[in-house]
Amino acid sequence: MAAKSAFAERLLTPLLDILQSVPILGFISVTVTFFLSLTPGRMAGAEFAAIFAIFTSQAWNMVFGFHQSLRTVPEELAEAARSFRLSAWARFWRLEVPFAVPQLVANMMMSMSGG
């Protein structure tokens, strides 16, 4: 929504920016406690908490990469989608997602290496 509407972007971008720091800064103590309580006396809870923290920090990078890709779809491709009279759903799957794949792959490589 943030890529399609200026109002939604003004609202969602700061919200997403704040939320991306929450998994590491705010929830890490809560999630470690929660996951440790799932497996008392075992290290599996700590491992679950680490996986959760790494996954959520990587997911935000992917969200921002996808948002940037949707904002930078070339006008020529958007015009071609309009000329083919693609619905919003078809445009998303046939134009925007394939256009975003290289950015998502690059962000995935950076996220995985950082994680």
Side-chain angles (χ1 to χ4, degrees), residues 31-107:
T31 56
V32 168
T33 304
F34 171 74
F35 284 115
L36 285 176
S37 70
L38 289 179
T39 58
R42 301 173 122 178
M43 290 304 297
E47 293 173 7
F48 291 149
I51 290 168
F52 177 77
I54 291 169
F55 173 77
T56 55
S57 63
Q58 291 173 349
W60 292 115
N61 186 25
M62 303 297 286
V63 167
F64 279 110
F66 189 67
H67 173 260
Q68 182 63 29
S69 294
L70 293 181
R71 301 247 1 220
T72 59
V73 172
E75 184 56 37
E76 293 83 12
L77 292 178
E79 184 178 338
R82 282 191 299 272
S83 70
F84 283 117
R85 291 184 169 84
L86 295 179
S87 67
W89 187 248
R91 176 187 161 124
F92 178 74
W93 283 110
R94 293 182 181 239
L95 171 64
E96 294 167 346
V97 169
F99 184 77
V101 165
Q103 179 73 19
L104 289 172
V105 169
N107 277 357

Side-chain angles (χ1 to χ4, degrees), residues 1-2 5-19:
M1 289 184 61
S5 164
F7 174 75
E9 182 176 20
R10 284 194 311 268
L11 183 70
L12 291 175
T13 302
L15 180 67
L16 288 172
D17 200 22
I18 292 167
L19 288 174

